[in-house]
């Protein structure tokens, strides 16, 4: 066998091993959660409120609380992240400004989630005196989602065919028209993908919202912007701390299964958006 | 003196574009060096020259499409009709609508053929009938109507590359420019489509002032009414096609037109 064929085969084998390891980790995780979680999941589990500190009843308010915070965070982050990506892609002329934006976005992405939580506690709860507020939690989640959404939107905007904007300008379109009629519609897939990936991450976060936006039990829907909600991650955390109680542990697995399902749903939506909404996708 | 003036005016149509002492640079690199030229209206003027001679930069300066390029600076005047490109057109979008541009690689927008034609008109209040009329007129002018009249709502991306380039010309015509700036419009199409586009350019020159950048000397010989030979950012020679291709004054021009080679 020639040296080239041997190295081809070695690279292919390395690729298969890496793929296999990835699939094993994902498969083991999904299997464990599905195996233990499905025992707890039923229609009642999904629609009933929790009782007995979560050891009995369902997870209705936790699902609603998680979705409420995640959707609000998405609504908050969307205009800011899109505007930042548009500015970076279509408006910023100075290389220094562009580098600064890139560095900021990457740095924000690397900040540990607990740091976001502490920031929210100090700024909103201690300094601004908001008290426990699900809306403040959404703001913090939006801050966490910002780099992901910005990065995905920016990547889509930068990957537009090179002459597409120039063709718009050559037709006499203003910068605003080029942004609204060319850049934004043609990079919608990146914006939506970023939003879905950000949502998938935000809905599973515990640390950033633990101190400022959630209660472990005994809450339902908030009446306004103030007041805490209960979310799936904090509910799982609370139940996991009652590890000696088999009912609590079973419900923790059930809640984990539902949480993974929601994350999977958003990830799938991101995957579909990436191809379906891309006007230059091979599919078209 | 008056009869002489009349004679000159009869031979050379009035200038649609006048470039006076114009220089352009990308940062410290001067790509156009103090050139002056004029382009007669309703004719095809070809900008010829080797790579890096400043042809495309000159073309892109005419509608200020390079304005957003970092480090791009210009000196001197370009006049379109009576208006100075840099001082007269405070609204650069108006200038670009007046001087439509078609690029080397056809770039159709996602959407239908009809939507592509009307792309530059979005935002204008037009009735359905007006839109249909503009679409048909523009496609007819770009010699594409026969090919696409039965499938105007089909995606523009389904057209061949040559048809896409003609669609780009139709899109530029839809905004009713006076001038068409063509940057190597046949560079990325097959020879048959290239000939079709050449014929189209000749036809359009009856109504539009056309300036075309080309590397293809033979194509310039077929299409141009007037040719301008640029080299290293300077105008080496300019004149009517017959003069340039049969009795160019300078050896450098003759060498380039015969051998497509330049040592400047």
């Amino acid at each position: 066998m020639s040296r080239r064929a041997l190295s081809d085969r070695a690279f292919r084998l390395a690729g298969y091993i890496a793929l296999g390891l990835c699939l094993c980790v994902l498969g083991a995780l999904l299997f464990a959660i599905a195996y233990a979680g499905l025992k707890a999941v039923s229609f009642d589990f999904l629609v009933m409120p929790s009782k007995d500190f979560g050891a009995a009843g369902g997870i209705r308010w936790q699902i609603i609380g998680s979705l409420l915070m995640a959707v609000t965070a998405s609504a908050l982050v969307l205009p800011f992240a899109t505007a930042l990506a548009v500015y970076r892609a279509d408006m910023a002329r100075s290389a220094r400004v562009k580098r600064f934006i890139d560095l900021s976005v990457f740095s924000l992405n690397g900040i540990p989630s607990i740091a976001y939580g502490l920031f929210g506690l100090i700024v909103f709860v201690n300094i601004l005196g908001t008290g426990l507020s699900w809306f403040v939690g959404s703001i913090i989640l939006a801050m966490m989602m910002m780099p992901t959404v910005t990065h995905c939107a920016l990547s889509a905007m930068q990957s537009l065919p090179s002459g597409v904007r120039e063709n718009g300008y050559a037709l006499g379109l203003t910068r605003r028209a080029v942004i609204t009629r060319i850049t934004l519609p043609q990079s919608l897939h990146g914006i939506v993908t970023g939003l879905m990936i950000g949502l998938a991450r935000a809905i599973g976060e515990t640390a950033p919202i633990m101190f400022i936006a959630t209660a472990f039990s005994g809450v339902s829907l908030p009446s306004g912007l103030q007041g805490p909600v209960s979310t799936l991650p904090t509910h799982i955390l609370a139940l996991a701390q009652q590890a000696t109680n088999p009912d609590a542990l079973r419900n923790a697995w059930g809640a984990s299964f539902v949480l993974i399902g929601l994350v999977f749903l958003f990830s799938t939506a991101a995957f579909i958006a990436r191809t379906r909404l891309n006007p230059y996708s091979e599919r078209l | 003196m008056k009869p002489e003036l009349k004679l000159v005016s009869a031979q050379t149509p009035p200038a649609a574009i006048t470039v006076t002492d114009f220089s352009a640079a990308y940062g410290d690199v001067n790509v156009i060096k103090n050139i002056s030229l004029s382009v007669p209206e309703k004719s095809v003027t070809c900008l010829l020259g080797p790579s890096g001679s400043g042809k495309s930069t000159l073309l892109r300066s005419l509608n200020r499409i390079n304005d957003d390029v970092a480090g791009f600076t210009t000196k001197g005047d370009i006049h379109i009709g009576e208006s100075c490109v840099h001082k007269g057109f405070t609204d650069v979008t108006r200038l670009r609508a007046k001087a439509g541009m078609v690029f080397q690689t056809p770039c159709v927008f996602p959407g239908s053929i009809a939507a592509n034609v009307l792309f530059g008109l979005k935002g204008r209040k037009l009735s359905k009938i007006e839109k249909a009329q503009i679409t048909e007129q523009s496609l007819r002018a770009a010699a594409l109507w026969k090919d696409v009249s039965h499938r105007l709502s089909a995606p523009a991306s389904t057209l061949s590359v040559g048809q896409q380039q003609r669609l780009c010309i139709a899109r530029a015509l839809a905004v009713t420019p006076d001038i068409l700036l063509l940057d190597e419009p046949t560079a990325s199409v097959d020879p048959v489509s290239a000939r079709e586009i050449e014929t189209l350019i000749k036809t359009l020159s009856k109504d539009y002032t056309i300036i075309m950048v080309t590397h293809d000397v033979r194509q310039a010989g077929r299409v141009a009414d007037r040719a301008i030979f640029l080299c290293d950012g300077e105008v080496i020679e300019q004149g009517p096609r017959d003069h340039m291709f049969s009795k160019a004054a300078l050896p450098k021009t003759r060498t380039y037109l015969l051998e497509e080679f330049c040592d400047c």
Side-chain angles (χ1 to χ4, degrees):
Chain A
M1 188 182 291
S2 73
R3 201 172 157 182
R4 182 181 284 183
L6 200 68
S7 80
D8 275 359
R9 189 168 283 191
F11 271 108
R12 193 173 298 152
L13 187 69
Y16 286 143
I17 291 171
L19 176 69
L21 279 173
C22 257
L23 291 178
C24 278
V25 170
L26 182 67
L29 198 73
L30 289 179
F31 177 77
I33 291 172
Y35 180 77
L38 276 173
K39 290 175 188 167
V41 175
S42 65
F43 182 73
D44 282 350
F45 183 71
L46 296 175
V47 298
M48 295 288 286
S50 57
K51 292 177 198 164
D52 200 10
F53 292 100
I59 54 169
R60 174 168 72 189
W61 297 120
Q62 286 76 13
I63 293 175
I64 292 172
S66 288
L67 288 174
L68 177 68
M69 285 188 66
V71 170
T72 307
S74 302
L76 291 172
V77 76
L78 186 64
F80 290 104
T82 308
L84 181 59
V86 165
Y87 178 76
R88 168 65 179 81
D90 279 29
M91 296 170 87
R93 293 180 72 175
S94 156
R96 196 177 290 176
V97 170
K98 289 179 183 178
R99 270 201 304 275
F100 176 72
I101 293 171
D102 292 344
L103 186 68
S104 304
V105 169
F106 278 105
S107 303
L108 269 177
N109 206 27
I111 292 175
S113 55
I114 189 71
Y116 281 99
L118 288 173
F119 170 81
L121 181 69
I122 292 164
V123 174
F124 288 98
V125 179
N126 291 352
I127 297 176
L128 297 175
T130 58
L132 277 183
S133 163
W134 68 272
F135 189 71
V136 168
S138 294
I139 293 173
I140 296 297
L141 286 182
M143 287 166 64
M144 283 192 65
M145 290 167 72
M146 181 91 167
T148 308
V149 184
T150 306
H151 179 73
C152 287
L154 185 58
S155 297
M157 289 172 193
Q158 287 176 328
S159 66
L160 288 181
S162 57
V164 73
R165 290 182 182 86
E166 211 165 44
N167 272 271
Y169 285 122
L171 288 170
L173 298 188
T174 59
R175 188 192 295 274
R176 194 180 69 177
V178 168
I179 289 169
T180 54
R181 292 180 200 158
I182 296 175
T183 306
L184 284 176
Q186 296 187 27
S187 48
L188 188 63
H189 63 288
I191 299 168
V192 176
T193 301
L195 202 62
M196 290 298 126
I197 294 173
L199 254 174
R201 184 186 170 190
I203 206 164
E205 284 292 349
T206 315
I209 53 174
M210 200 164 56
F211 310 123
I212 53 174
T214 59
F216 287 110
S217 69
V219 290
S220 56
L221 264 186
S223 54
L225 298 181
Q226 291 284 334
V229 290
S230 188
T231 64
L232 285 169
T234 48
H235 186 62
I236 294 164
L237 179 70
L239 291 174
Q241 285 168 342
Q242 307 172 44
T244 49
N245 182 345
D247 291 336
L249 210 54
R250 191 195 63 230
N251 279 0
W253 281 111
S256 300
F257 180 77
V258 173
L259 182 60
I260 291 285
L262 287 173
V263 170
F264 186 72
L265 202 70
F266 292 129
S267 301
T268 309
F271 186 77
I272 293 168
R274 202 176 59 180
T275 48
R276 293 264 168 131
L277 296 178
N278 185 354
Y280 299 102
S281 161
E282 293 278 322
R283 193 183 61 84
L284 295 172
Chain B
M1 296 300 285
K2 272 185 179 175
E4 273 184 33
L5 281 172
K6 272 182 185 171
L7 185 66
V8 170
S9 133
Q11 284 177 341
T12 316
I17 299 171
T18 316
V19 177
T20 314
D21 300 330
F22 182 75
S23 302
Y26 293 101
D28 297 334
V29 184
N30 289 325
V31 284
I32 297 178
K33 298 165 187 167
N34 203 36
I35 63 171
S36 295
L37 55 92
S38 64
V39 174
E41 67 176 13
K42 292 183 181 173
S43 63
V44 181
T45 300
C46 280
L47 299 178
L48 286 161
S51 293
S53 58
K55 309 180 296 292
S56 290
T57 303
L58 174 59
L59 196 78
R60 296 166 69 87
S61 299
L62 299 179
N63 68 346
R64 292 176 53 189
I65 202 90
N66 265 1
D67 273 14
D68 283 339
V69 175
F72 183 73
T73 52
T74 60
K75 256 194 322 194
D77 285 333
I78 298 175
H79 278 81
I80 291 183
E82 296 295 317
S83 305
C84 177
V85 162
H86 292 92
K87 293 164 199 157
F89 287 92
T90 45
D91 179 6
V92 75
T93 58
R94 215 161 50 81
L95 164 68
R96 289 174 189 159
K98 192 178 171 72
M101 191 169 204
V102 176
F103 298 87
Q104 185 176 341
T105 310
C107 177
V108 295
F109 297 118
S112 69
I113 293 166
N116 263 270
V117 175
L118 297 169
F119 199 89
L121 301 172
K122 273 185 189 172
R124 293 191 199 175
K125 284 179 183 169
L126 296 168
S127 66
K128 274 187 179 177
I129 297 168
E130 285 171 321
K131 283 180 183 175
Q133 281 172 345
I134 292 169
T135 305
E136 182 175 343
Q137 282 165 6
S138 307
L139 288 169
R140 277 192 194 280
L144 195 59
W145 178 250
K146 275 186 187 168
D147 296 347
V148 301
S149 59
H150 59 288
R151 51 178 179 136
L152 290 174
S153 54
S157 56
T158 56
L159 297 175
S160 71
V161 179
Q163 286 175 324
Q164 285 187 14
Q165 190 63 304
R166 278 187 281 156
L167 179 61
C168 291
I169 295 172
R171 191 173 63 194
L173 296 177
V175 291
T176 58
D178 297 330
I179 296 162
L180 274 181
L181 309 171
L182 310 177
D183 193 356
E184 296 186 55
T186 60
S188 53
V189 302
D190 63 272
V192 175
S193 300
R195 283 298 179 107
E196 286 171 356
I197 291 170
E198 283 175 18
T199 311
L200 169 64
I201 290 166
K202 284 304 288 178
T203 312
L204 288 172
S205 68
K206 290 170 191 157
D207 299 312
Y208 300 90
T209 303
I210 296 175
I211 305 175
M212 181 169 94
V213 167
T214 180
H215 276 291
D216 187 341
V217 172
R218 281 173 295 178
Q219 182 181 58
R222 290 191 293 269
V223 175
D225 295 309
R226 189 177 170 79
I228 298 170
F229 173 49
L230 287 132
C231 197
D232 195 25
E234 292 175 9
V235 174
I236 305 297
E237 196 166 353
Q238 56 180 312
R241 177 186 56 191
D242 294 341
H243 163 81
M244 291 291 279
F245 282 85
S246 56
K247 44 191 176 208
L250 299 173
K252 208 182 253 187
T253 313
R254 287 198 295 270
T255 308
Y256 184 77
L257 295 180
L258 284 172
E259 301 170 26
E260 297 190 28
F261 166 77
C262 186
D263 59 355
C264 55

